[in-house]
């Protein structure tokens, strides 16, 4: 896998990328380039154009110009906002979310009907400060009670 393909892969967890790539390709008239896909994933992960440029070791202005000439135009057409100005890169994410491309996030513990109590303990065992760097040794203990299924096999046999 190329280094650029490894950037912003977390977007696939929250967005229907395949449908989005297909729909944007239809709008564009041909498939998105690997760089267009990379920039789109970066935006969907919450990175600004400047952040994307920094991660790619490219010019921030160059990435911004590229986005304005390509992805922003495709997205505006796709979500029927051709006459609107992209005031901020976050508009793109919001418009795509409003259009249904964002997948539903997994249920969080607070959304579960029977939340599992979790106990966590953190222990810092060593702190070493040398040459403007800090080295920490941290131990983490998580305790997750897991209920056993209740069934008749747990009962003592009758005597």
């Amino acid at each position: 896998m190329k280094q650029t393909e490894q950037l912003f892969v977390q977007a696939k967890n929250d967005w229907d990328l395949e449908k989005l790539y297909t729909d944007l390709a239809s709008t564009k008239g041909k498939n998105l380039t690997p760089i267009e896909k990379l920039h789109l994933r970066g935006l969907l992960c919450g990175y600004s154009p400047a952040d994307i440029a920094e991660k790619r070791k490219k010019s921030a202005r160059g990435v911004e110009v590229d986005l304005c000439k390509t992805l922003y135009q495709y997205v505006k057409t796709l979500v029927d906002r051709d006459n609107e100005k992209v005031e901020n890169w976050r508009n793109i994410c919001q418009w795509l979310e409003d259009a249904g491309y964002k997948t539903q996030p997994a249920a969080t513990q607070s959304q579960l009907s029977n939340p599992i109590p979790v106990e966590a303990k953190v222990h810092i065992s060593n702190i070493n400060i040398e040459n403007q760097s800090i080295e920490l040794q941290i131990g983490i203990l998580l305790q997750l009670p897991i209920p056993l299924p209740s069934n008749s096999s747990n009962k003592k046999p009758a005597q």
Side-chain angles (χ1 to χ4, degrees):
M1 184 183 283
K2 293 179 184 177
Q3 182 183 8
T4 57
E5 290 173 359
Q6 295 173 352
L7 288 173
F8 317 122
V9 294
Q10 63 271 31
K12 72 180 179 182
N13 297 330
D14 297 327
W15 298 87
D16 187 349
L17 290 181
E18 292 310 312
K19 181 171 177 19
L20 185 51
Y21 292 160
T22 300
D23 292 352
L24 286 170
S26 178
T27 298
K28 178 183 177 184
K30 58 184 176 180
N31 287 336
L32 297 179
T33 68
I35 295 301
E36 289 170 336
K37 289 179 180 181
L38 176 69
H39 289 171
L40 177 60
R41 288 194 316 267
L43 292 173
L44 297 177
C45 287
Y47 290 96
S48 70
D51 294 334
I52 294 168
E54 182 180 329
K55 291 209 174 279
R56 292 195 55 226
K57 297 175 178 38
K58 301 290 182 184
S59 153
R61 182 70 184 137
V63 169
E64 182 66 43
V65 167
D66 185 47
L67 285 168
C68 288
K69 289 184 177 182
T70 60
L71 276 176
Y72 290 176
Q73 297 307 311
Y74 312 149
V75 170
K76 284 171 57 172
T77 300
L78 177 65
V79 299
D80 199 26
R81 293 181 182 252
D82 284 315
N83 297 328
E84 292 187 45
K85 184 176 179 184
V86 178
E87 299 288 339
N88 185 302
W89 62 270
R90 288 181 182 88
N91 292 139
I92 297 298
C93 298
Q94 188 60 56
W95 293 344
L96 290 172
E97 183 175 348
D98 292 347
Y101 289 99
K102 189 165 189 177
T103 57
Q104 294 299 317
T108 62
Q109 184 170 341
S110 63
Q111 295 170 319
L112 297 173
S113 59
N114 294 317
I116 300 170
V118 176
E119 184 178 333
K121 295 179 182 177
V122 177
H123 175 73
I124 300 174
S125 58
N126 190 16
I127 300 175
N128 187 15
I129 302 172
E130 287 183 11
N131 300 331
Q132 296 181 336
S133 68
I134 300 173
E135 181 180 307
L136 297 173
Q137 290 180 349
I138 301 173
I140 300 174
L141 171 66
L142 290 178
Q143 293 182 335
L144 302 169
I146 300 173
L148 295 174
S150 58
N151 59 32
S152 58
S153 64
N154 291 341
K155 296 180 181 176
K156 289 186 179 180
Q159 294 180 344

